[in-house]
Amino acid sequence: MTKESQPLGSPSAGSASDVHYRDLLSLIDEGYCVIEMIFDDAGKPIDYRFLEVNGHFEAQSGMHAATGKRVREFYPDLERYWFEFYGKVALTGEPAQFVNEAASMDGRWFEVHALRLGDASSRKVAILFKNISERKRIESDLYAALALAERANRAKSEFLSNMSHELRSPLNAILGFAQLLESGAPPPTHTQKDSVDQILKAGWYLLELINEILDLALIESGKLSMSLEPMSLTEVLRDCQAMIEPQAQKRRIGLAFTGLDGPLSVMADRTRVKQILINLLSNAIKYNSAGGTVRVTCGLVANGRVRIRVQDTGLGLTPEQLAQLFRPFERLGQEIGLEEGTGIGLAISKRMIELMGGTIGAESVVGVGSTFWIELGQRAPSTVEVDSVALPVVTDAQREATPYVSTVLYVEDNPANLLLVQRILARRPDIRLLSAVDGLSGVEVARCSLPDAIVMDINLPGISGTDARRLLAADATTAHIPVIALSANAMPHDIARGIEAGFCRYLTKPIKVGEFIDALDVALASTRASTATIQ
């Protein structure tokens, strides 16, 4: 190599330090070269010549015996931006670092560091580069896999939503008509009541199974919504006690809650915590011994967290059963017993508590009983708690004292669902029911008859119930009418979208008759209040 072609700071050719310098270049696993830029008469960079290369140059670039040759001899169609990059470094003296693709070099990707050698008059550039094509291929494959997974997740969410709707629609008719038979006049015979009870029992169990499968799928796909905020654990436990006491009394199980006097507060999702505790309490009652007890204690533990224990006096679990406890669909042999269960509740509870930063566990002694516990992080209790303001509920006495006859419009394309609501409201002489079978006709009926309340399905022919609700809200003559959504779309995001769309309530199928009547009474009371104000 001539003196002119030596890089800046390199030793003279043939010296001992020159040998050392070349040894260093051979040790690095990246390509290295010194180039001399070639410009045309207009000062544009059009080519460059290789003055020096290291031992890894060929493996990294694919060019053999490059010293003294121009790059266009290897790649005549090399992209112009390579010349512009190196030309700018040679002219300005500013180092450059970049990643770029050389499509003309079989699509190779390079990570490049370049700097000028010599003074301002020099056109030599030292380049340290690495072929990162394999890394780029892996990244591309990863991005493609992530995109595919995202599409699969979206498809899964849509499938779950559709499955929920399709399963809930027939359940709506089964449970709705069974409830009517149960409370009909004349009342059913003893044999008929037993049959209806079996229908209701199986129907509600199937609904529970559907809900738990959807919850589990939402958790595993990362779609389950959580609202973590400081909450009073004492209040939640008292609510759970009130909810679970009838079940305990029915089975003659003693129920004791202790440690609820102090103001314990944790950071968690109130609804999910209540769901977990009800699951643990139901299991403790369901799988207890005859005349047994369930003891619930709550207090601080050593790590500054709050632990809630649910202790039963059941048969207990073996170490092998404890190891399988939180697996989905694992009932530990109870599937052959008399107690119904899905085997999903504990798996869901474990995933939920972990999403809230908590833990769950169990201890058990065969023949003595089991203790299930959850732990959550403690936070200071809120200084002010404001309850949401609810619309007034019309009582039976108020209805009897008011001769007002209300009109309700039900927009529903499923004949069985329409018939069910007709049968429910047939017992309400104070309500006249109108119906429509699609969204557009529902809007027209509402504009013509001006009902006091509207019950709207979401999946309707033509336009959706949500779009129909928007049309009603945009019309001054119907904007004041409260609209209740009644749909088999029961995913959390469906309910949230419904409330955001302006429905005063979002009820899910299968219909719970009492809940439906209460929601309707609230809507009618709202209409009466607004009418009285206008008058």
Side-chain angles (χ1 to χ4, degrees), residues 29-177:
D29 61 357
E30 297 183 353
Y32 174 80
C33 64
V34 176
I35 64 172
E36 183 178 40
M37 292 304 304
I38 300 173
F39 297 85
D40 63 12
D41 294 339
K44 292 183 179 180
I46 57 173
D47 206 345
Y48 54 82
R49 180 184 295 106
F50 295 103
L51 302 180
E52 182 180 354
V53 300
N54 73 343
H56 290 280
F57 175 88
E58 180 179 340
Q60 294 288 343
S61 69
M63 290 179 277
H64 177 66
T67 304
K69 297 178 182 178
R70 296 186 178 191
V71 72
R72 286 198 183 276
E73 295 179 48
F74 296 96
Y75 298 105
D77 298 323
L78 185 66
E79 293 80 11
R80 181 165 183 78
Y81 50 72
W82 292 102
F83 304 113
E84 293 174 349
F85 284 145
Y86 299 141
K88 182 178 180 182
V89 172
L91 292 174
T92 65
E94 296 178 2
Q97 179 179 341
F98 56 88
V99 172
N100 215 332
E101 181 186 18
S104 60
M105 299 174 67
D106 302 321
R108 286 184 173 93
W109 279 85
F110 294 100
E111 185 177 67
V112 179
H113 300 259
L115 73 157
R116 185 175 70 188
L117 297 179
D119 56 24
S121 64
S122 173
R123 296 297 177 259
K124 296 175 185 177
V125 178
I127 304 170
L128 188 67
F129 66 97
K130 188 171 185 177
N131 186 339
I132 59 169
S133 302
E134 180 62 17
R135 189 179 83 190
K136 280 292 184 178
R137 184 192 64 78
I138 293 173
E139 288 178 357
S140 178
D141 291 346
L142 179 60
Y143 290 142
L146 289 174
L148 182 62
E150 182 62 28
R151 288 197 298 271
N153 272 336
R154 287 198 298 269
K156 180 180 179 181
S157 296
E158 292 174 4
F159 168 76
L160 289 173
S161 183
N162 291 335
M163 182 185 74
S164 172
H165 181 271
E166 293 304 317
L167 291 175
R168 285 171 178 271
S169 290
L171 265 179
N172 183 55
I174 293 170
L175 290 173
F177 284 109

Side-chain angles (χ1 to χ4, degrees), residues 6-329:
Q6 294 174 13
L8 183 65
S10 67
S12 301
S15 68
S17 56
D18 179 57
V19 174
H20 181 63
Y21 162 75
R22 293 182 183 281
D23 286 343
L24 286 175
L25 289 179
S26 66
L27 287 175
I28 61 175
D29 61 357
E30 297 183 353
Y32 174 80
C33 64
V34 176
I35 64 172
E36 183 178 40
M37 292 304 304
I38 300 173
F39 297 85
D40 63 12
D41 294 339
K44 292 183 179 180
I46 57 173
D47 206 345
Y48 54 82
R49 180 184 295 106
F50 295 103
L51 302 180
E52 182 180 354
V53 300
N54 73 343
H56 290 280
F57 175 88
E58 180 179 340
Q60 294 288 343
S61 69
M63 290 179 277
H64 177 66
T67 304
K69 297 178 182 178
R70 296 186 178 191
V71 72
R72 286 198 183 276
E73 295 179 48
F74 296 96
Y75 298 105
D77 298 323
L78 185 66
E79 293 80 11
R80 181 165 183 78
Y81 50 72
W82 292 102
F83 304 113
E84 293 174 349
F85 284 145
Y86 299 141
K88 182 178 180 182
V89 172
L91 292 174
T92 65
E94 296 178 2
Q97 179 179 341
F98 56 88
V99 172
N100 215 332
E101 181 186 18
S104 60
M105 299 174 67
D106 302 321
R108 286 184 173 93
W109 279 85
F110 294 100
E111 185 177 67
V112 179
H113 300 259
L115 73 157
R116 185 175 70 188
L117 297 179
D119 56 24
S121 64
S122 173
R123 296 297 177 259
K124 296 175 185 177
V125 178
I127 304 170
L128 188 67
F129 66 97
K130 188 171 185 177
N131 186 339
I132 59 169
S133 302
E134 180 62 17
R135 189 179 83 190
K136 280 292 184 178
R137 184 192 64 78
I138 293 173
E139 288 178 357
S140 178
D141 291 346
L142 179 60
Y143 290 142
L146 289 174
L148 182 62
E150 182 62 28
R151 288 197 298 271
N153 272 336
R154 287 198 298 269
K156 180 180 179 181
S157 296
E158 292 174 4
F159 168 76
L160 289 173
S161 183
N162 291 335
M163 182 185 74
S164 172
H165 181 271
E166 293 304 317
L167 291 175
R168 285 171 178 271
S169 290
L171 265 179
N172 183 55
I174 293 170
L175 290 173
F177 284 109
Q179 289 175 84
L180 286 176
L181 289 173
E182 182 184 41
S183 60
T189 65
H190 179 73
T191 302
Q192 289 172 335
K193 189 176 186 310
D194 285 345
S195 299
V196 171
D197 286 345
Q198 290 299 319
I199 294 172
L200 287 170
K201 184 179 180 182
W204 292 123
Y205 170 72
L206 182 55
L207 179 61
E208 179 187 0
L209 180 60
I210 292 169
N211 289 337
E212 290 190 342
I213 289 174
L214 292 174
D215 269 350
L216 185 61
L218 283 173
I219 292 170
E220 291 181 344
S221 64
K223 301 293 185 181
L224 186 72
S225 60
M226 284 278 181
S227 178
L228 303 184
E229 57 187 5
M231 50 156 278
S232 170
L233 192 56
T234 305
E235 290 182 4
V236 168
L237 283 167
R238 288 198 178 110
D239 289 346
C240 291
Q241 182 178 9
M243 293 172 65
I244 210 70
E245 275 181 343
Q247 182 181 343
Q249 291 172 0
K250 183 178 179 180
R251 293 174 176 260
R252 298 180 181 178
I253 300 294
L255 196 61
F257 281 70
T258 59
L260 305 187
D261 298 332
L264 291 174
S265 182
V266 294
M267 178 65 75
D269 185 301
R270 183 186 182 93
T271 300
R272 301 303 181 185
V273 170
K274 187 179 290 187
Q275 182 178 346
I276 293 167
L277 289 172
I278 289 295
N279 178 256
L280 296 181
L281 289 165
S282 295
N283 286 345
I285 293 170
K286 188 187 302 183
Y287 300 113
N288 214 318
S289 302
T293 60
V294 173
R295 181 175 297 277
V296 180
T297 59
C298 180
L300 296 175
V301 289
N303 56 4
R305 292 157 73 85
V306 178
R307 175 175 284 200
I308 307 100
R309 297 177 178 87
V310 179
Q311 182 179 12
D312 65 53
T313 55
L315 296 176
L317 301 169
T318 66
E320 292 77 14
Q321 289 174 317
L322 280 173
Q324 304 174 51
L325 200 56
F326 296 101
R327 295 178 183 175
F329 303 102

Side-chain angles (χ1 to χ4, degrees), residues 362-378:
E363 305 153 0
S364 188
V365 177
V366 175
V368 177
S370 303
T371 299
F372 286 80
W373 54 265
I374 61 172
E375 280 187 13
L376 290 164
Q378 185 183 29

Side-chain angles (χ1 to χ4, degrees), residues 498-516:
I499 297 302
E500 289 173 4
F503 291 102
C504 64
R505 284 288 300 276
Y506 193 106
L507 305 180
T508 60
K509 300 172 183 176
I511 291 177
K512 294 180 178 66
V513 175
E515 180 185 41
F516 173 73

